[in-house]
Amino acid sequence: MKLSVLSLVLGLFFISCNKDSQLSKPTVHEIKGKIFGSTYNVKYLGELTPGEFSVFLDQFFLDFNQEFSTYQSNSVINLFNSSPAFKKIKVSTRFIEMLKIIKAFNQKTMGAFDPTLGPVVKIWGFYQAEKKRPRPDELKRVRDQMGVDHLKWDESSLVAWKTKNGVRLDLNAFAPGWAADLVGEELIRRKINHFMVDIGGEILVKGSKGEHNWVVGIERPSVGGNHELHTAIKIKDLSIATSGNYRHFFLESGQRKSHIIDPRTGEPVTHQISSVTILAETALEADIWGTALMVLGEEGLNLAEQNGIMALLLKAQGPGKFQSIMTTSMSTYLKANEL
Ligand code: AMP
Ligand code: MG
């Protein structure tokens, strides 16, 4: 079941640490599969059989899609999206949690993260093979259907509704990161304290891989998907996510139009920032800030600094050349943890 056809793994990949000697190599269990139109990969150390955890994962993804997949016609999110204004929909506490996440991070990112962009993403053709500029009147119509203030809920009676017809949520910017956190919480409940969970390239890491830290490679942006390495870093008890403009885009008059859209204009972002990598405590935060800083570009660095976000922006400087621009906390982290 797809949550998104857009979210192919981008930006990050796990590197096995080749300094491991045969003797010190711990048993790393691994579970892999396909989810949300992309892949997942869970690695962990400890007394839990992959067979047992796969049972949990399969059920978790079924439930998550049933609630949040816009590609599943009978999902709760589709019911919410297609319901008329003021119609109250029965939802779970997790659905209300999702609405709270949207409101809180829309505010923190000064509106750059805005999942009510759903109809705008659609009209640019990013859910289809053919991407093209919409007619100005169509764009205006769908932009009028945006705004997180139209999202309402009542926690005591577990209902949610919209205050405007046509408001539709697109969860692609944060659902994979959020799902990674939820899987991580389950591993901890099962007393597994050393793991990495990668869902669609949004990665949550806890503890270490035996004597060594987990190592993540940050990709050098490239349209062809060659997976060339920009840098590799050690991470422990942190999450990492990358957003970029180099996989899903189309060209208009020679200019790259990315699948990340600026909520202020309804236009795909076109600046020279090719990718944003975020390190944060949760994969949810990393995923959201990655998308938000792709919208804001260099302008967003102050906001990231104020929020204590570790952010690395790769700015295109000509074919295959990138300038690294980063927040102070990212610079300190990289100095200590780059391989
Ligand atoms: P990511 O790859 O995590 O940056 O998420 C990008 C996806 O989020 C896009 O494919 C759209 O479906 C959606 N999206 C695009 N722009 C925004 C935005 N400004 N705020 C929230 N979601 C967005
Ligand atoms: Mg994101």
Side-chain angles (χ1 to χ4, degrees), residues 12 28 31 73 87 94 110 225 275 277 283 313:
L12 302 169
V28 180
I31 308 171
S73 57
K87 178 155 188 329
R94 191 161 69 174
M110 307 295 271
S275 76
T277 297
L313 281 60

PDB file of all heavy atoms in Angstrom, residues 12 28 31 73 87 94 110 225 275 277 283 313:
ATOM      1  N   LEU A  12      20.091   9.694   1.988  1.00  0.00           N
ATOM      2  CA  LEU A  12      20.856   9.084   3.059  1.00  0.00           C
ATOM      3  C   LEU A  12      20.996   7.598   2.813  1.00  0.00           C
ATOM      4  O   LEU A  12      20.115   6.978   2.239  1.00  0.00           O
ATOM      5  CB  LEU A  12      20.127   9.261   4.398  1.00  0.00           C
ATOM      6  CG  LEU A  12      19.853  10.694   4.801  1.00  0.00           C
ATOM      7  CD1 LEU A  12      18.909  10.728   5.984  1.00  0.00           C
ATOM      8  CD2 LEU A  12      21.132  11.423   5.141  1.00  0.00           C
ATOM      9  N   VAL A  28      23.718  -8.439  14.067  1.00  0.00           N
ATOM     10  CA  VAL A  28      22.763  -7.375  13.760  1.00  0.00           C
ATOM     11  C   VAL A  28      21.604  -8.020  13.014  1.00  0.00           C
ATOM     12  O   VAL A  28      21.777  -8.575  11.940  1.00  0.00           O
ATOM     13  CB  VAL A  28      23.422  -6.273  12.888  1.00  0.00           C
ATOM     14  CG1 VAL A  28      22.414  -5.174  12.570  1.00  0.00           C
ATOM     15  CG2 VAL A  28      24.643  -5.686  13.584  1.00  0.00           C
ATOM     16  N   ILE A  31      15.500  -6.396   9.116  1.00  0.00           N
ATOM     17  CA  ILE A  31      14.198  -6.648   8.466  1.00  0.00           C
ATOM     18  C   ILE A  31      14.038  -5.569   7.390  1.00  0.00           C
ATOM     19  O   ILE A  31      14.216  -4.378   7.673  1.00  0.00           O
ATOM     20  CB  ILE A  31      13.017  -6.539   9.471  1.00  0.00           C
ATOM     21  CG1 ILE A  31      13.280  -7.415  10.698  1.00  0.00           C
ATOM     22  CG2 ILE A  31      11.702  -6.921   8.798  1.00  0.00           C
ATOM     23  CD1 ILE A  31      12.284  -7.204  11.837  1.00  0.00           C
ATOM     24  N   SER A  73      -8.302   3.984  -0.704  1.00  0.00           N
ATOM     25  CA  SER A  73      -9.549   4.745  -0.867  1.00  0.00           C
ATOM     26  C   SER A  73     -10.376   4.815   0.412  1.00  0.00           C
ATOM     27  O   SER A  73     -10.991   5.826   0.691  1.00  0.00           O
ATOM     28  CB  SER A  73     -10.364   4.159  -2.014  1.00  0.00           C
ATOM     29  OG  SER A  73     -10.600   2.805  -1.755  1.00  0.00           O
ATOM     30  N   LYS A  87     -18.413  18.665   8.824  1.00  0.00           N
ATOM     31  CA  LYS A  87     -18.866  17.283   9.081  1.00  0.00           C
ATOM     32  C   LYS A  87     -17.860  16.629  10.048  1.00  0.00           C
ATOM     33  O   LYS A  87     -16.663  16.573   9.766  1.00  0.00           O
ATOM     34  CB  LYS A  87     -18.948  16.493   7.771  1.00  0.00           C
ATOM     35  CG  LYS A  87     -19.376  15.050   8.015  1.00  0.00           C
ATOM     36  CD  LYS A  87     -20.037  14.473   6.787  1.00  0.00           C
ATOM     37  CE  LYS A  87     -20.677  13.144   6.923  1.00  0.00           C
ATOM     38  NZ  LYS A  87     -20.262  12.159   7.772  1.00  0.00           N
ATOM     39  N   ARG A  94      -4.446   8.981  17.737  1.00  0.00           N
ATOM     40  CA  ARG A  94      -3.271   9.165  16.867  1.00  0.00           C
ATOM     41  C   ARG A  94      -3.578  10.138  15.730  1.00  0.00           C
ATOM     42  O   ARG A  94      -2.717  10.917  15.320  1.00  0.00           O
ATOM     43  CB  ARG A  94      -2.816   7.808  16.318  1.00  0.00           C
ATOM     44  CG  ARG A  94      -1.472   7.871  15.643  1.00  0.00           C
ATOM     45  CD  ARG A  94      -0.807   6.538  15.510  1.00  0.00           C
ATOM     46  NE  ARG A  94      -1.499   5.677  14.573  1.00  0.00           N
ATOM     47  CZ  ARG A  94      -1.036   4.481  14.204  1.00  0.00           C
ATOM     48  NH1 ARG A  94       0.087   4.018  14.692  1.00  0.00           N
ATOM     49  NH2 ARG A  94      -1.715   3.740  13.351  1.00  0.00           N
ATOM     50  N   MET A 110       7.189  28.872  10.566  1.00  0.00           N
ATOM     51  CA  MET A 110       6.638  30.117  10.000  1.00  0.00           C
ATOM     52  C   MET A 110       5.832  29.832   8.725  1.00  0.00           C
ATOM     53  O   MET A 110       5.920  30.568   7.741  1.00  0.00           O
ATOM     54  CB  MET A 110       7.766  31.111   9.659  1.00  0.00           C
ATOM     55  CG  MET A 110       8.713  31.406  10.800  1.00  0.00           C
ATOM     56  SD  MET A 110       7.918  32.237  12.162  1.00  0.00           S
ATOM     57  CE  MET A 110       8.114  33.920  11.680  1.00  0.00           C
ATOM     58  N   GLY A 225      20.788   9.561  -9.619  1.00  0.00           N
ATOM     59  CA  GLY A 225      20.678   8.633  -8.499  1.00  0.00           C
ATOM     60  C   GLY A 225      21.873   7.713  -8.382  1.00  0.00           C
ATOM     61  O   GLY A 225      21.739   6.520  -8.155  1.00  0.00           O
ATOM     62  N   SER A 275      19.804  20.122  -1.564  1.00  0.00           N
ATOM     63  CA  SER A 275      19.319  19.220  -0.516  1.00  0.00           C
ATOM     64  C   SER A 275      19.511  19.848   0.846  1.00  0.00           C
ATOM     65  O   SER A 275      20.357  20.725   1.037  1.00  0.00           O
ATOM     66  CB  SER A 275      20.022  17.864  -0.580  1.00  0.00           C
ATOM     67  OG  SER A 275      21.322  17.953  -0.050  1.00  0.00           O
ATOM     68  N   THR A 277      19.840  18.436   4.867  1.00  0.00           N
ATOM     69  CA  THR A 277      19.920  17.297   5.791  1.00  0.00           C
ATOM     70  C   THR A 277      19.794  17.828   7.214  1.00  0.00           C
ATOM     71  O   THR A 277      20.454  18.805   7.578  1.00  0.00           O
ATOM     72  CB  THR A 277      21.263  16.552   5.621  1.00  0.00           C
ATOM     73  OG1 THR A 277      21.294  16.021   4.291  1.00  0.00           O
ATOM     74  CG2 THR A 277      21.403  15.408   6.620  1.00  0.00           C
ATOM     75  N   ALA A 283      12.776  11.517  14.341  1.00  0.00           N
ATOM     76  CA  ALA A 283      12.748  11.471  12.874  1.00  0.00           C
ATOM     77  C   ALA A 283      11.626  12.374  12.352  1.00  0.00           C
ATOM     78  O   ALA A 283      11.712  12.919  11.252  1.00  0.00           O
ATOM     79  CB  ALA A 283      12.571  10.033  12.400  1.00  0.00           C
ATOM     80  N   LEU A 313      22.816  22.499   4.412  1.00  0.00           N
ATOM     81  CA  LEU A 313      22.218  22.791   3.106  1.00  0.00           C
ATOM     82  C   LEU A 313      23.307  22.635   2.049  1.00  0.00           C
ATOM     83  O   LEU A 313      24.418  23.170   2.217  1.00  0.00           O
ATOM     84  CB  LEU A 313      21.700  24.245   3.057  1.00  0.00           C
ATOM     85  CG  LEU A 313      20.354  24.560   3.740  1.00  0.00           C
ATOM     86  CD1 LEU A 313      20.371  24.243   5.223  1.00  0.00           C
ATOM     87  CD2 LEU A 313      19.979  26.020   3.516  1.00  0.00           C
TER      88      LEU A 313
END
